[in-house]
Amino acid sequence: MKYITLILLLFFLTANAQNEYHSEGFEVTKPDIEQKIFAKDSTANALVIYEYGNSYVDKSSYKLNTEVKRKIKILNRNGFEHAEISIFLYDDKKGGKEKIKDINATVYNIKNGEVITTKLEKAAIFEEQYNDKYKLVKFAFPSIKEGSVINYSYTLESPFMFKYKGWNFQDDIPVLYSEYNASIPANWEYNIKLVGGQKLTTNYSGVKKNCLQGGGGANANCGVYKYVMKNIPAFIEEGYMTTKDNYLARIEYELKVFRGFNGSIDNITKTWKSTDNEIEKDTDLGIQLRKTKTVKNAIDYDFNIESDDLKKAQSIFKYVQENFVWNEKFRVLENISIKDLIKEKSGNVGEINTFLNNLLIAYGIDAKPILLSTRRNGFATKIYPVLSDFNYLIVKVDIDGKTYLLDATDDYLTFGQIPFRCLNQYGRLLDFDKGSQWYDIDIKDFSLAEYSYTLDFDANQQLKGNVNYKTTGYNALSDRKNYFNNTAAYVDRIKSRYASVDISDSKIISTDKKSSDFYFNFKVETTPDIVGNTVYLNPFLFKFFTENPFKLQERTYPIDFGYKDVFIHKIKVNIDESYQINEIPESFNLKLPENKGSLFVSTQQNGNSVTLYLKLSFNESIYDSIYYDALKTIMTKVIDTQNNALIVLEKKQ
């Protein structure tokens, strides 16, 4: 009993020793330097122990000052990059510039049991131009070693009150303590947005009287805010996600109203009603959307030869798709000209899809444009209008009670299919008569990938057969692009990926690059593993996944596939009568919680034949992070089944 108690005591002391970072203060302590690991994340190369921000308007200069303090632990050599600091300074090229002042930085190490400090020299701080609007202030800490602790502080001075300083609580390394304070004069009213799934441990707001004075004795109160997050995990990017800006824990400000000391009021952030009016009357998009009659006269084809509305819409879509080339520019509100598109036969996404929208309307089809933000661009803000969030345009069509989403920028898209880049949850449906509204972009149909084949294992110990490969939806879109862009390269990739299998007589069944389905057939021959009289035959010659895409200890953001997916193996193996079947793979059925997905494997023996059926279903296009462990478990089982599901044969005596 004493022995067990001693073990528990040692464990408790060790666990505490691993977490003795001074995480609620800027000063560096000896335990900060002495710590060797971060117990909560053994993969971390560095760790933000403490960081502090404080933004306020200076009473004399009326400029926005932001004080920043940060303390970082370097855990190993791979964390040395976090001792190289870059700070962005904005320049509007109209006389307004951000400036940095009071940079102080120190490195802390342990030598012979004593704390050694090394100050950053002013000469080690330098500037470089990043682009037209931003300059970088950079410095690298000297004397960095494994175990070093660095801290630095500076003040950022900005004349841009419309760009009130935001704050990132999360980084690509763990953060123990992050605090941000803001003092905002009542003259400036902001929309405040907290992004990401992390929770605040402190969320305080109050009022400070007479914090700012204006001319003629005028003054303003300030709203004061304090936000704190603790124990924030590192944000590590992984597959099946949109841009990390959608999920990185941070706070952002968007200027809503400015009130002058003279009583004037400037509403910076508009309502959607006023924004619709702005789009309709003040943007190139709005102007071009009104030209529904002119597009009909601009082409030498009459689509009224089709009496059926669906066939008519399909013909119009095909015409625009095949006669105009997307220049790969994402213009949606400005620099849009249908006249230029018709003349050049090439244009940006706004021009091509506005032309499509107008041509559909001109021929009596119910069509409306949808503004959206692509997956890489991030989510469009919903709580108030931010037109700069949108970078793409598609068209919504309603025919006989059914809705189709269209995009004519890509030759390979089928009618009713939009590019994968557009699968970003929602867009803004423009309707200048009834008012715009948010529209959910939800792909109802499943995309399929299926291998179906029959294999014969003969007396010469060869495994031969014919393979039928089929895809639909977005899986087919990817295959069509790869195949028709370079057929030889497509086949070569399959052969190189499965080098142990001889692949021959490959042919495509669907010859149209706009076909909704993709069919590809070929012959295979291979030799399974043979040990003495025993044959170990893995029927999964082709694999949908070669490794588990989910590897994180914890994922704090959604798993976003973009669309619902199904993967199927249908396999039959006929065994020569000179062999007996000793073992076949197990059957099982795994399900995600709430029936949001499943992995079903069935194996059956009928005489000297074995049939296998595998079906992996993702019934949702997006999964909350709470399903991450379950998804990881199912994918681990998929990989294991593909690699280790064996049919064991023995030569008959």
Side-chain angles (χ1 to χ4, degrees):
M1 184 65 183
K2 289 181 179 179
Y3 179 68
I4 296 174
T5 303
L6 179 60
I7 291 176
L8 291 174
L9 179 60
L10 287 173
F11 175 80
F12 176 77
L13 292 174
T14 302
N16 275 336
Q18 291 176 350
N19 292 285
E20 284 183 354
Y21 292 104
H22 178 50
S23 62
E24 298 197 15
F26 182 60
E27 64 276 11
V28 175
T29 65
K30 195 172 182 181
D32 287 339
I33 313 170
E34 290 174 333
Q35 300 302 309
K36 302 298 184 184
I37 62 171
F38 179 52
K40 290 184 178 179
D41 185 354
S42 59
T43 66
N45 300 317
L47 167 71
V48 177
I49 302 174
Y50 171 87
E51 63 181 7
Y52 168 90
N54 181 34
S55 295
Y56 59 92
V57 176
D58 185 87
K59 294 181 179 180
S60 301
S61 66
Y62 291 95
K63 291 184 178 180
L64 177 63
N65 282 6
T66 300
E67 300 169 351
V68 175
K69 296 179 180 180
R70 190 167 284 115
K71 178 171 62 170
I72 301 174
K73 172 75 173 182
I74 307 299
L75 292 167
N76 55 50
R77 297 188 66 84
N78 291 329
F80 284 7
E81 64 184 52
H82 294 281
E84 300 175 359
I85 311 302
S86 296
I87 303 164
F88 286 85
L89 301 178
Y90 179 69
D91 183 347
D92 68 357
K93 299 301 180 182
K94 299 176 183 178
K97 296 181 180 181
E98 290 181 334
K99 298 178 181 179
I100 196 168
K101 57 186 179 181
D102 301 331
I103 296 177
N104 290 289
T106 308
V107 181
Y108 297 80
N109 289 303
I110 292 283
K111 185 175 182 181
N112 298 325
E114 298 294 325
V115 176
I116 306 299
T117 61
T118 306
K119 294 281 188 181
L120 180 74
E121 299 290 338
K122 298 296 183 185
I125 303 171
F126 59 96
E127 298 181 354
E128 67 178 44
Q129 199 67 33
Y130 180 73
N131 58 27
D132 290 343
K133 293 292 182 75
Y134 284 94
K135 181 170 64 177
L136 279 178
V137 174
K138 303 176 71 174
F139 55 90
F141 283 86
S143 306
I144 292 297
K145 302 175 183 178
E146 291 185 342
S148 294
V149 175
I150 61 176
N151 68 0
Y152 62 94
S153 62
Y154 62 87
T155 299
L156 182 70
E157 183 183 82
S158 172
F160 308 116
M161 281 299 293
F162 72 93
K163 287 171 64 72
Y164 199 89
K165 181 69 176 176
W167 185 258
N168 285 355
F169 295 97
Q170 195 169 26
D171 205 336
D172 59 358
I173 57 176
V175 179
L176 289 183
Y177 183 94
S178 182
E179 176 182 329
Y180 182 57
N181 297 270
S183 175
I184 304 176
N187 306 64
W188 290 274
E189 184 180 342
Y190 294 87
N191 290 305
I192 304 174
K193 182 170 68 170
L194 183 66
V195 181
Q198 301 299 311
K199 295 186 182 300
L200 292 166
T201 54
T202 300
N203 185 359
Y204 167 81
S205 62
V207 176
K208 182 179 179 181
K209 298 287 188 179
N210 302 325
C211 67
L212 191 67
Q213 284 74 44
N219 60 74
N221 298 333
C222 285
V224 292
Y225 306 87
K226 180 179 180 179
Y227 308 101
V228 177
M229 282 189 187
K230 297 180 181 180
N231 301 314
I232 312 159
F235 188 94
I236 301 174
E237 294 188 61
E238 194 178 51
Y240 303 113
M241 62 172 286
T242 55
T243 176
K244 72 176 185 180
D245 288 340
N246 286 337
Y247 312 113
L248 200 65
R250 66 190 187 277
I251 195 162
E252 293 180 344
Y253 296 86
E254 176 84 14
L255 186 58
K256 181 179 180 180
V257 178
F258 173 73
R259 297 177 177 86
F261 282 114
N262 61 359
S264 62
I265 297 177
D266 186 4
N267 291 300
I268 308 298
T269 300
K270 307 294 192 295
T271 63
W272 270 113
K273 183 176 181 180
S274 62
T275 300
D276 289 346
N277 187 62
E278 178 186 345
I279 294 173
E280 181 183 14
K281 297 181 179 178
D282 298 335
T283 68
D284 288 347
L285 174 63
I287 294 170
Q288 297 300 311
L289 285 172
R290 294 199 294 268
K291 297 183 178 181
T292 56
K293 295 181 180 179
T294 57
V295 295
K296 195 171 183 178
N297 300 324
I299 59 175
D300 55 359
Y301 189 86
D302 185 4
F303 294 99
N304 280 324
I305 60 173
E306 295 283 1
S307 58
D308 180 78
D309 279 351
L310 179 57
K311 290 182 179 179
K312 185 188 299 182
Q314 290 171 335
S315 296
I316 292 171
F317 174 73
K318 184 178 180 181
Y319 174 86
V320 178
Q321 192 179 37
E322 293 182 348
N323 285 275
F324 301 96
V325 178
W326 180 39
N327 60 19
E328 299 191 4
K329 292 182 179 179
F330 293 77
R331 311 287 190 199
V332 291
L333 292 170
E334 302 299 338
N335 300 312
I336 296 174
S337 170
I338 290 177
K339 181 179 179 181
D340 290 346
L341 174 71
I342 294 171
K343 178 181 178 182
E344 302 294 334
K345 301 297 182 182
S346 174
N348 57 52
V349 65
E351 290 171 330
I352 289 175
N353 285 335
T354 298
F355 180 75
L356 171 64
N357 178 83
N358 290 1
L359 198 55
L360 288 163
I361 292 174
Y363 279 93
I365 305 298
D366 183 4
K368 289 182 176 61
I370 297 177
L371 283 173
L372 56 80
S373 175
T374 57
R375 291 172 70 91
R376 288 186 178 182
N377 195 55
F379 295 139
T381 304
K382 272 193 168 184
I383 56 178
Y384 47 85
V386 182
L387 288 180
S388 58
D389 283 354
F390 299 101
N391 71 329
Y392 211 85
L393 188 79
I394 60 173
V395 179
K396 172 180 172 287
V397 170
D398 290 304
I399 301 174
D400 297 331
K402 189 171 181 180
T403 296
Y404 304 87
L405 299 181
L406 305 180
D407 181 347
T409 64
D410 189 331
D411 283 348
Y412 292 92
L413 294 171
T414 61
F415 185 86
Q417 187 177 48
I418 56 177
F420 179 74
R421 59 179 170 266
C422 296
L423 306 185
N424 201 25
Q425 300 192 24
Y426 55 84
R428 191 76 184 181
L429 178 69
L430 296 182
D431 187 333
F432 298 134
D433 295 325
K434 298 179 181 179
S436 67
Q437 58 184 295
W438 292 108
Y439 184 85
D440 290 336
I441 297 173
D442 182 19
I443 307 303
K444 304 292 185 184
D445 296 332
F446 282 82
S447 292
L448 167 72
E450 177 183 291
Y451 281 109
S452 176
Y453 49 88
T454 298
L455 302 172
D456 295 314
F457 181 70
D458 60 26
N460 297 319
Q461 300 176 333
Q462 291 298 298
L463 194 63
K464 303 177 182 178
N466 296 309
V467 177
N468 301 313
Y469 173 66
K470 173 187 176 182
T471 53
T472 67
Y474 284 92
N475 294 325
L477 175 62
S478 176
D479 279 325
R480 291 198 309 273
K481 284 187 175 184
N482 290 329
Y483 182 86
F484 286 106
N485 281 335
N486 192 327
T487 301
Y490 180 87
V491 177
D492 287 344
R493 275 194 298 271
I494 295 176
K495 290 181 177 180
S496 62
R497 183 177 179 184
Y498 302 105
S500 63
V501 181
D502 291 330
I503 296 175
S504 61
D505 295 343
S506 60
K507 58 181 178 180
I508 187 172
I509 304 303
S510 52
T511 56
D512 186 354
K513 67 180 183 179
K514 293 184 179 66
S515 297
S516 58
D517 299 340
F518 179 83
Y519 296 91
F520 186 67
N521 297 346
F522 50 91
K523 292 182 178 180
V524 295
E525 182 174 349
T526 188
T527 303
D529 294 332
I530 302 172
V531 181
N533 289 327
T534 305
V535 178
Y536 299 93
L537 191 157
N538 185 342
F540 293 98
L541 300 183
F542 305 95
K543 300 173 174 61
F544 293 119
F545 302 92
T546 56
E547 62 179 12
N548 194 332
F550 306 124
K551 299 181 174 67
L552 299 179
Q553 293 178 354
E554 179 186 10
R555 178 157 164 165
T556 59
Y557 49 92
I559 300 88
D560 190 332
F561 294 104
Y563 50 87
K564 302 171 185 176
D565 230 337
V566 177
F567 301 90
I568 294 177
H569 280 286
K570 295 178 180 177
I571 307 170
K572 183 177 182 181
V573 183
N574 298 317
I575 312 297
D576 186 81
E577 293 295 334
S578 62
Y579 285 86
Q580 67 181 22
I581 302 170
N582 288 344
E583 184 181 330
I584 64 174
E586 65 172 350
S587 299
F588 61 88
N589 188 12
L590 295 179
K591 290 187 177 181
L592 289 173
E594 302 172 51
N595 199 32
K596 290 183 177 289
S598 62
L599 171 62
F600 175 71
V601 174
S602 172
T603 59
Q604 294 180 341
Q605 180 180 347
N606 185 9
N608 244 38
S609 294
V610 178
T611 57
L612 299 97
Y613 180 79
L614 180 151
K615 183 178 181 181
L616 172 64
S617 302
F618 296 111
N619 299 336
E620 304 286 337
S621 56
I622 302 173
Y623 291 86
D624 191 89
S625 59
I626 61 173
Y627 295 95
Y628 183 70
D629 287 342
L631 286 166
K632 186 194 291 189
T633 298
I634 273 194
M635 290 307 299
T636 297
K637 190 64 175 176
V638 170
I639 302 301
D640 179 65
T641 300
Q642 290 180 145
N643 293 336
N644 302 312
L646 298 176
I647 300 173
V648 181
L649 313 175
E650 187 175 355
K651 185 78 172 179
K652 293 179 180 178
Q653 299 302 318

